[in-house]
mmCIF file with all atom_site columns, all heavy atoms in Angstrom:
data_model
loop_
_atom_site.group_PDB
_atom_site.id
_atom_site.type_symbol
_atom_site.label_atom_id
_atom_site.label_alt_id
_atom_site.label_comp_id
_atom_site.label_asym_id
_atom_site.label_entity_id
_atom_site.label_seq_id
_atom_site.pdbx_PDB_ins_code
_atom_site.Cartn_x
_atom_site.Cartn_y
_atom_site.Cartn_z
_atom_site.occupancy
_atom_site.B_iso_or_equiv
_atom_site.pdbx_formal_charge
_atom_site.auth_seq_id
_atom_site.auth_comp_id
_atom_site.auth_asym_id
_atom_site.auth_atom_id
_atom_site.pdbx_PDB_model_num
ATOM 1   N N   . LEU A 1 550 ? -3.078 -26.163 -23.304 1.00 90.00 ? 1130 LEU A N   1
ATOM 2   C CA  . LEU A 1 550 ? -4.482 -25.652 -23.226 1.00 90.00 ? 1130 LEU A CA  1
ATOM 3   C C   . LEU A 1 550 ? -4.634 -24.669 -22.039 1.00 90.00 ? 1130 LEU A C   1
ATOM 4   O O   . LEU A 1 550 ? -5.585 -23.944 -22.082 1.00 90.00 ? 1130 LEU A O   1
ATOM 5   C CB  . LEU A 1 550 ? -5.437 -26.714 -23.113 1.00 90.00 ? 1130 LEU A CB  1
ATOM 6   C CG  . LEU A 1 550 ? -5.414 -27.754 -24.311 1.00 90.00 ? 1130 LEU A CG  1
ATOM 7   C CD1 . LEU A 1 550 ? -6.545 -28.825 -24.125 1.00 90.00 ? 1130 LEU A CD1 1
ATOM 8   C CD2 . LEU A 1 550 ? -5.704 -26.974 -25.627 1.00 90.00 ? 1130 LEU A CD2 1
ATOM 9   N N   . HIS A 1 551 ? -3.716 -24.660 -21.124 1.00 91.00 ? 1131 HIS A N   1
ATOM 10  C CA  . HIS A 1 551 ? -3.849 -23.863 -19.916 1.00 91.00 ? 1131 HIS A CA  1
ATOM 11  C C   . HIS A 1 551 ? -2.614 -22.938 -19.622 1.00 91.00 ? 1131 HIS A C   1
ATOM 12  O O   . HIS A 1 551 ? -2.804 -21.732 -19.491 1.00 91.00 ? 1131 HIS A O   1
ATOM 13  C CB  . HIS A 1 551 ? -4.207 -24.791 -18.700 1.00 91.00 ? 1131 HIS A CB  1
ATOM 14  C CG  . HIS A 1 551 ? -5.399 -25.589 -18.831 1.00 91.00 ? 1131 HIS A CG  1
ATOM 15  N ND1 . HIS A 1 551 ? -6.667 -25.142 -18.539 1.00 91.00 ? 1131 HIS A ND1 1
ATOM 16  C CD2 . HIS A 1 551 ? -5.604 -26.824 -19.381 1.00 91.00 ? 1131 HIS A CD2 1
ATOM 17  C CE1 . HIS A 1 551 ? -7.575 -26.120 -18.750 1.00 91.00 ? 1131 HIS A CE1 1
ATOM 18  N NE2 . HIS A 1 551 ? -6.945 -27.197 -19.255 1.00 91.00 ? 1131 HIS A NE2 1
ATOM 19  N N   . VAL A 1 552 ? -1.502 -23.557 -19.523 1.00 90.00 ? 1132 VAL A N   1
ATOM 20  C CA  . VAL A 1 552 ? -0.281 -22.795 -19.078 1.00 90.00 ? 1132 VAL A CA  1
ATOM 21  C C   . VAL A 1 552 ? 0.089  -21.923 -20.274 1.00 90.00 ? 1132 VAL A C   1
ATOM 22  O O   . VAL A 1 552 ? 0.184  -20.582 -19.860 1.00 90.00 ? 1132 VAL A O   1
ATOM 23  C CB  . VAL A 1 552 ? 0.937  -23.757 -18.824 1.00 90.00 ? 1132 VAL A CB  1
ATOM 24  C CG1 . VAL A 1 552 ? 2.158  -22.887 -18.487 1.00 90.00 ? 1132 VAL A CG1 1
ATOM 25  C CG2 . VAL A 1 552 ? 0.505  -24.677 -17.641 1.00 90.00 ? 1132 VAL A CG2 1
ATOM 26  N N   . ILE A 1 553 ? 0.274  -22.293 -21.457 1.00 88.00 ? 1133 ILE A N   1
ATOM 27  C CA  . ILE A 1 553 ? 0.726  -21.424 -22.522 1.00 88.00 ? 1133 ILE A CA  1
ATOM 28  C C   . ILE A 1 553 ? -0.327 -20.278 -22.855 1.00 88.00 ? 1133 ILE A C   1
ATOM 29  O O   . ILE A 1 553 ? 0.020  -19.097 -22.904 1.00 88.00 ? 1133 ILE A O   1
ATOM 30  C CB  . ILE A 1 553 ? 1.051  -22.132 -23.792 1.00 88.00 ? 1133 ILE A CB  1
ATOM 31  C CG1 . ILE A 1 553 ? 2.241  -23.076 -23.548 1.00 88.00 ? 1133 ILE A CG1 1
ATOM 32  C CG2 . ILE A 1 553 ? 1.420  -21.269 -24.940 1.00 88.00 ? 1133 ILE A CG2 1
ATOM 33  C CD1 . ILE A 1 553 ? 3.549  -22.354 -23.158 1.00 88.00 ? 1133 ILE A CD1 1
ATOM 34  N N   . PRO A 1 554 ? -1.677 -20.578 -22.841 1.00 90.00 ? 1134 PRO A N   1
ATOM 35  C CA  . PRO A 1 554 ? -2.587 -19.478 -23.013 1.00 90.00 ? 1134 PRO A CA  1
ATOM 36  C C   . PRO A 1 554 ? -2.553 -18.396 -21.898 1.00 90.00 ? 1134 PRO A C   1
ATOM 37  O O   . PRO A 1 554 ? -2.687 -17.292 -22.306 1.00 90.00 ? 1134 PRO A O   1
ATOM 38  C CB  . PRO A 1 554 ? -3.943 -20.308 -22.966 1.00 90.00 ? 1134 PRO A CB  1
ATOM 39  C CG  . PRO A 1 554 ? -3.564 -21.627 -23.559 1.00 90.00 ? 1134 PRO A CG  1
ATOM 40  C CD  . PRO A 1 554 ? -2.256 -21.969 -22.919 1.00 90.00 ? 1134 PRO A CD  1
ATOM 41  N N   . ALA A 1 555 ? -2.221 -18.946 -20.738 1.00 91.00 ? 1135 ALA A N   1
ATOM 42  C CA  . ALA A 1 555 ? -2.197 -17.876 -19.599 1.00 91.00 ? 1135 ALA A CA  1
ATOM 43  C C   . ALA A 1 555 ? -0.960 -17.027 -19.782 1.00 91.00 ? 1135 ALA A C   1
ATOM 44  O O   . ALA A 1 555 ? -1.077 -15.869 -19.735 1.00 91.00 ? 1135 ALA A O   1
ATOM 45  C CB  . ALA A 1 555 ? -2.074 -18.590 -18.279 1.00 91.00 ? 1135 ALA A CB  1
ATOM 46  N N   . LEU A 1 556 ? 0.148  -17.595 -20.112 1.00 88.00 ? 1136 LEU A N   1
ATOM 47  C CA  . LEU A 1 556 ? 1.397  -16.868 -20.457 1.00 88.00 ? 1136 LEU A CA  1
ATOM 48  C C   . LEU A 1 556 ? 1.131  -15.876 -21.674 1.00 88.00 ? 1136 LEU A C   1
ATOM 49  O O   . LEU A 1 556 ? 1.585  -14.770 -21.728 1.00 88.00 ? 1136 LEU A O   1
ATOM 50  C CB  . LEU A 1 556 ? 2.574  -17.703 -20.715 1.00 88.00 ? 1136 LEU A CB  1
ATOM 51  C CG  . LEU A 1 556 ? 3.009  -18.417 -19.447 1.00 88.00 ? 1136 LEU A CG  1
ATOM 52  C CD1 . LEU A 1 556 ? 4.123  -19.505 -19.921 1.00 88.00 ? 1136 LEU A CD1 1
ATOM 53  C CD2 . LEU A 1 556 ? 3.738  -17.491 -18.394 1.00 88.00 ? 1136 LEU A CD2 1
ATOM 54  N N   . ASP A 1 557 ? 0.454  -16.360 -22.668 1.00 89.00 ? 1137 ASP A N   1
ATOM 55  C CA  . ASP A 1 557 ? 0.171  -15.479 -23.815 1.00 89.00 ? 1137 ASP A CA  1
ATOM 56  C C   . ASP A 1 557 ? -0.677 -14.350 -23.483 1.00 89.00 ? 1137 ASP A C   1
ATOM 57  O O   . ASP A 1 557 ? -0.474 -13.262 -23.951 1.00 89.00 ? 1137 ASP A O   1
ATOM 58  C CB  . ASP A 1 557 ? -0.509 -16.404 -24.905 1.00 89.00 ? 1137 ASP A CB  1
ATOM 59  C CG  . ASP A 1 557 ? 0.446  -17.205 -25.683 1.00 89.00 ? 1137 ASP A CG  1
ATOM 60  O OD1 . ASP A 1 557 ? 1.597  -16.855 -25.687 1.00 89.00 ? 1137 ASP A OD1 1
ATOM 61  O OD2 . ASP A 1 557 ? -0.067 -18.176 -26.332 1.00 89.00 ? 1137 ASP A OD2 1
ATOM 62  N N   . GLU A 1 558 ? -1.700 -14.540 -22.566 1.00 91.00 ? 1138 GLU A N   1
ATOM 63  C CA  . GLU A 1 558 ? -2.532 -13.472 -22.170 1.00 91.00 ? 1138 GLU A CA  1
ATOM 64  C C   . GLU A 1 558 ? -1.783 -12.396 -21.321 1.00 91.00 ? 1138 GLU A C   1
ATOM 65  O O   . GLU A 1 558 ? -1.978 -11.197 -21.610 1.00 91.00 ? 1138 GLU A O   1
ATOM 66  C CB  . GLU A 1 558 ? -3.676 -14.005 -21.315 1.00 91.00 ? 1138 GLU A CB  1
ATOM 67  C CG  . GLU A 1 558 ? -4.778 -12.988 -20.928 1.00 91.00 ? 1138 GLU A CG  1
ATOM 68  C CD  . GLU A 1 558 ? -5.621 -12.578 -22.114 1.00 91.00 ? 1138 GLU A CD  1
ATOM 69  O OE1 . GLU A 1 558 ? -5.640 -13.476 -23.086 1.00 91.00 ? 1138 GLU A OE1 1
ATOM 70  O OE2 . GLU A 1 558 ? -6.177 -11.557 -22.113 1.00 91.00 ? 1138 GLU A OE2 1
ATOM 71  N N   . VAL A 1 559 ? -0.932 -12.822 -20.458 1.00 90.00 ? 1139 VAL A N   1
ATOM 72  C CA  . VAL A 1 559 ? -0.144 -11.820 -19.778 1.00 90.00 ? 1139 VAL A CA  1
ATOM 73  C C   . VAL A 1 559 ? 0.862  -11.171 -20.701 1.00 90.00 ? 1139 VAL A C   1
ATOM 74  O O   . VAL A 1 559 ? 1.167  -9.999  -20.596 1.00 90.00 ? 1139 VAL A O   1
ATOM 75  C CB  . VAL A 1 559 ? 0.615  -12.507 -18.597 1.00 90.00 ? 1139 VAL A CB  1
ATOM 76  C CG1 . VAL A 1 559 ? 1.537  -11.649 -17.838 1.00 90.00 ? 1139 VAL A CG1 1
ATOM 77  C CG2 . VAL A 1 559 ? -0.432 -13.156 -17.593 1.00 90.00 ? 1139 VAL A CG2 1
ATOM 78  N N   . GLY A 1 560 ? 1.471  -11.937 -21.606 1.00 88.00 ? 1140 GLY A N   1
ATOM 79  C CA  . GLY A 1 560 ? 2.401  -11.467 -22.541 1.00 88.00 ? 1140 GLY A CA  1
ATOM 80  C C   . GLY A 1 560 ? 1.828  -10.242 -23.368 1.00 88.00 ? 1140 GLY A C   1
ATOM 81  O O   . GLY A 1 560 ? 2.402  -9.350  -23.656 1.00 88.00 ? 1140 GLY A O   1
ATOM 82  N N   . LYS A 1 561 ? 0.550  -10.522 -23.871 1.00 89.00 ? 1141 LYS A N   1
ATOM 83  C CA  . LYS A 1 561 ? -0.171 -9.427  -24.557 1.00 89.00 ? 1141 LYS A CA  1
ATOM 84  C C   . LYS A 1 561 ? -0.336 -8.219  -23.710 1.00 89.00 ? 1141 LYS A C   1
ATOM 85  O O   . LYS A 1 561 ? -0.249 -7.126  -24.301 1.00 89.00 ? 1141 LYS A O   1
ATOM 86  C CB  . LYS A 1 561 ? -1.514 -10.039 -25.066 1.00 89.00 ? 1141 LYS A CB  1
ATOM 87  C CG  . LYS A 1 561 ? -1.374 -11.153 -26.217 1.00 89.00 ? 1141 LYS A CG  1
ATOM 88  C CD  . LYS A 1 561 ? -2.749 -11.710 -26.436 1.00 89.00 ? 1141 LYS A CD  1
ATOM 89  C CE  . LYS A 1 561 ? -2.619 -12.867 -27.486 1.00 89.00 ? 1141 LYS A CE  1
ATOM 90  N NZ  . LYS A 1 561 ? -3.838 -13.621 -27.639 1.00 89.00 ? 1141 LYS A NZ  1
ATOM 91  N N   . GLY A 1 562 ? -0.662 -8.438  -22.490 1.00 89.00 ? 1142 GLY A N   1
ATOM 92  C CA  . GLY A 1 562 ? -0.862 -7.298  -21.599 1.00 89.00 ? 1142 GLY A CA  1
ATOM 93  C C   . GLY A 1 562 ? 0.431  -6.500  -21.459 1.00 89.00 ? 1142 GLY A C   1
ATOM 94  O O   . GLY A 1 562 ? 0.371  -5.302  -21.497 1.00 89.00 ? 1142 GLY A O   1
ATOM 95  N N   . PHE A 1 563 ? 1.486  -7.249  -21.387 1.00 87.00 ? 1143 PHE A N   1
ATOM 96  C CA  . PHE A 1 563 ? 2.878  -6.588  -21.364 1.00 87.00 ? 1143 PHE A CA  1
ATOM 97  C C   . PHE A 1 563 ? 3.266  -5.816  -22.638 1.00 87.00 ? 1143 PHE A C   1
ATOM 98  O O   . PHE A 1 563 ? 3.680  -4.685  -22.529 1.00 87.00 ? 1143 PHE A O   1
ATOM 99  C CB  . PHE A 1 563 ? 3.885  -7.680  -21.016 1.00 87.00 ? 1143 PHE A CB  1
ATOM 100 C CG  . PHE A 1 563 ? 5.287  -7.115  -20.841 1.00 87.00 ? 1143 PHE A CG  1
ATOM 101 C CD1 . PHE A 1 563 ? 5.764  -6.431  -19.805 1.00 87.00 ? 1143 PHE A CD1 1
ATOM 102 C CD2 . PHE A 1 563 ? 6.234  -7.375  -21.980 1.00 87.00 ? 1143 PHE A CD2 1
ATOM 103 C CE1 . PHE A 1 563 ? 6.985  -5.905  -19.775 1.00 87.00 ? 1143 PHE A CE1 1
ATOM 104 C CE2 . PHE A 1 563 ? 7.490  -6.993  -21.861 1.00 87.00 ? 1143 PHE A CE2 1
ATOM 105 C CZ  . PHE A 1 563 ? 7.994  -6.143  -20.728 1.00 87.00 ? 1143 PHE A CZ  1
#
Side-chain angles (χ1 to χ4, degrees):
L1130 300 179
H1131 300 274
V1132 177
I1133 298 301
L1136 288 171
D1137 280 340
E1138 188 70 24
V1139 175
K1141 289 173 185 174
F1143 178 74

